[in-house]
Amino acid sequence: MTTNNKRVALVIGAGSVKCAAALGLWRALERAGIGLDMVVGCSGGSLYASVMALGYDLDTCARLTRELWTPAITKKRATRQILGALFPGLFGFDGKFGMVDDTAMWDALSGPYGGKRFEDAKIPLHIVTTDLHTGEKVVLSSGPVQDAIRASIAIPYIWRPWKVGERWLMDGCMSDPLPVDVAIREGANVILAMGFESPYPRKLRNGSRYAFHVNSVYTNNLLRANFAFHNLAHHAEIITVLPEFNRNIGLFDTDQIPYVMEEGERATEQHLPYLEKLLAGAA
Amino acid sequence: MDVTVEPRGAATVVRLVGSVDGITAGPLEARLLEQVQGGAVKLVGDLSGVAYTSSAGLRALLATLKATRSQGGDFRLAGVQPAVLKVLELSGFTSILKHYPDVDAAVQSFGS
């Protein structure tokens, strides 16, 4: 927890299953006796930030997210929406689009997050989303957690944006893939930033892969641009934790979660000597 | 953090050993700017002995870069370790600052 007036934040950026590395980071911090004063999550990172903040223990966090994020949540096509996008005159198009029916995903989210509110969190929690209509970053810090996560993981073209209050929100990755600025604004002065660049597929075999690839080009460049600015423009100390994966981690490779956690833990251990000195007041 | 300074050809090589982070950034920046103020505006930062950096360390490097360029010189890096290079890449440093595999190449880049 707060040490020597330093407020420690963990920021988990977009990265689907790779975000499970944050659980490894958490394990390393727990072993070192270092607590967190806030957790910020974006897109896939919001799944992990939320389970951690809501007070589940580490093993439960790993299990819940493994059970939740499976290929089953993308099985059913949103046929009506696809037809509406292709033939708006015939089927109507309401300005929101996703190729995949979100019923299974919503049901899966209700397991760990159903009925939970930000106000219930043991560690202050912030989830980053993007306003569909203005492109503005929208940080959710109160209200139902399940809705916030649903909005934050609304990957363009895959899942429809989600309405929270009066706004239609989509993937936080579209405005801020690694939102360290949220932690700075909330008063953190030591920020552990765990971010992931989206991998590029070797072959663009179909239209959805192409759309995904173009998305990744945008968001990877956005990640670098935002991160560069925040690293250099603020007084806060940003410690960049970058796990190394020597194997491909696909969107739904939840069987790789133990490995991903190990790499997250290993990457964090390299930072512990400095972090411990920093929190002891050496700077 | 150990800092040693050595004139090499047209450049001045500053060899850094240790971490470039929030604990060392202040004294490091002061030492580097002292070199620049003393006329060493073609500066090579030998980072082969640096295995760790954080945002405070990056800001010290950026301040040095700005100081050398404002006086018509440059601050170039040499021997950057892979873990540090990843942070430099993600932070946009590699697009604004030149880096070389070793000190010789960095010194040569300044010409004679």
Side-chain angles (χ1 to χ4, degrees):
Chain A
M1 207 49 102
T2 304
T3 312
N4 194 30
N5 295 324
K6 291 198 166 62
R7 300 192 71 215
V8 183
L10 169 61
V11 179
I12 314 170
S16 66
V17 169
K18 287 180 193 162
C19 300
L23 299 180
L25 175 148
W26 195 23
R27 188 155 61 198
L29 292 186
E30 280 200 336
R31 209 172 40 240
I34 298 170
L36 294 168
D37 293 289
M38 74 184 78
V39 195
V40 180
C42 173
S43 197
S46 71
L47 297 166
Y48 293 91
S50 300
V51 280
M52 290 167 71
L54 287 170
Y56 293 110
D57 63 71
L58 237 162
D59 291 338
T60 309
C61 286
R63 181 178 57 77
L64 288 173
T65 49
R66 194 169 56 237
E67 289 169 359
L68 143 73
W69 195 254
T70 68
I73 62 173
T74 59
K75 267 201 174 144
K76 193 174 171 196
R77 293 267 176 259
T79 312
R80 179 80 196 192
Q81 286 187 55
I82 295 170
L83 289 171
L86 292 173
F87 309 106
L90 272 178
F91 296 95
F93 184 70
D94 69 354
K96 273 79 68 182
F97 174 67
M99 290 188 291
V100 176
D101 185 287
D102 64 359
T103 313
M105 194 247 277
W106 180 253
D107 290 346
L109 288 175
S110 62
Y113 312 108
K116 307 279 187 190
R117 298 180 62 83
F118 282 86
E119 293 80 355
D120 302 328
K122 306 286 184 283
I123 307 169
L125 169 68
H126 308 278
I127 291 180
V128 173
T129 68
T130 305
D131 187 304
L132 169 70
H133 294 108
T134 65
E136 189 186 343
K137 175 172 60 188
V138 177
V139 183
L140 300 173
S141 307
S142 61
V145 173
Q146 187 178 358
D147 287 274
I149 295 173
R150 169 63 185 83
S152 189
I153 61 176
I155 304 169
Y157 313 116
I158 307 292
W159 282 299
R160 268 171 77 85
W162 191 251
K163 196 171 186 190
V164 177
E166 293 305 307
R167 303 173 101 160
W168 281 94
L169 303 175
M170 62 175 178
D171 197 341
C173 190
M174 303 309 292
S175 56
D176 202 350
L178 182 55
V180 292
D181 52 331
V182 175
I184 293 169
R185 195 190 64 188
E186 295 297 328
N189 39 25
V190 175
I191 299 165
L192 295 158
M194 182 172 260
F196 311 91
E197 291 191 284
S198 301
Y200 297 123
R202 280 192 197 154
K203 283 188 180 171
L204 301 175
R205 281 181 289 203
N206 52 44
S208 60
R209 287 238 168 186
Y210 179 81
F212 219 78
H213 174 77
V214 172
N215 241 9
S216 299
V217 171
Y218 286 142
T219 55
N220 285 345
N221 285 320
L222 182 61
L223 167 67
R224 287 180 181 228
N226 275 1
F227 195 62
F229 173 74
H230 296 308
N231 251 288
L232 300 174
H234 304 288
H235 65 283
E237 178 66 318
I238 301 170
I239 297 172
T240 315
V241 185
L242 299 172
E244 289 273 6
F245 302 109
N246 60 16
R247 55 179 94 152
N248 184 44
I249 311 291
L251 190 60
F252 294 102
D253 288 344
T254 46
D255 57 321
Q256 303 274 7
I257 283 180
Y259 164 72
V260 170
M261 285 175 63
E262 272 172 35
E263 292 306 324
E265 190 173 359
R266 196 190 318 274
T268 308
E269 278 164 357
Q270 295 165 13
H271 296 276
L272 284 180
Y274 172 56
L275 190 57
E276 283 169 339
K277 271 194 225 168
L278 195 63
L279 296 179
Chain B
M1 149 105 3
D2 287 331
V3 182
T4 52
V5 181
E6 180 198 358
R8 285 270 302 272
T12 300
V13 177
V14 183
R15 178 166 163 71
L16 314 179
V17 178
S19 296
V20 179
D21 56 33
I23 296 168
T24 61
L28 171 65
E29 186 176 326
R31 189 79 195 274
L32 289 168
L33 294 181
E34 184 186 291
Q35 293 302 312
V36 179
Q37 282 154 10
V41 297
K42 292 180 177 176
L43 212 55
V44 171
D46 177 2
L47 265 62
S48 58
V50 174
Y52 188 83
T53 189
S54 69
S55 64
L58 295 179
R59 290 193 287 271
L61 299 180
L62 183 67
T64 309
L65 179 69
K66 284 181 181 172
T68 55
R69 287 190 181 163
S70 70
Q71 296 192 44
D74 201 7
F75 180 43
R76 299 177 183 175
L77 302 182
V80 184
Q81 298 298 301
V84 174
L85 185 60
K86 271 182 74 175
V87 177
L88 292 180
E89 283 171 350
L90 195 60
S91 309
F93 265 72
T94 49
S95 63
I96 58 167
L97 177 149
K98 292 178 179 171
H99 66 101
Y100 298 86
D102 52 48
V103 170
D104 287 344
V107 169
Q108 279 167 21
S109 73
F110 279 111
S112 52

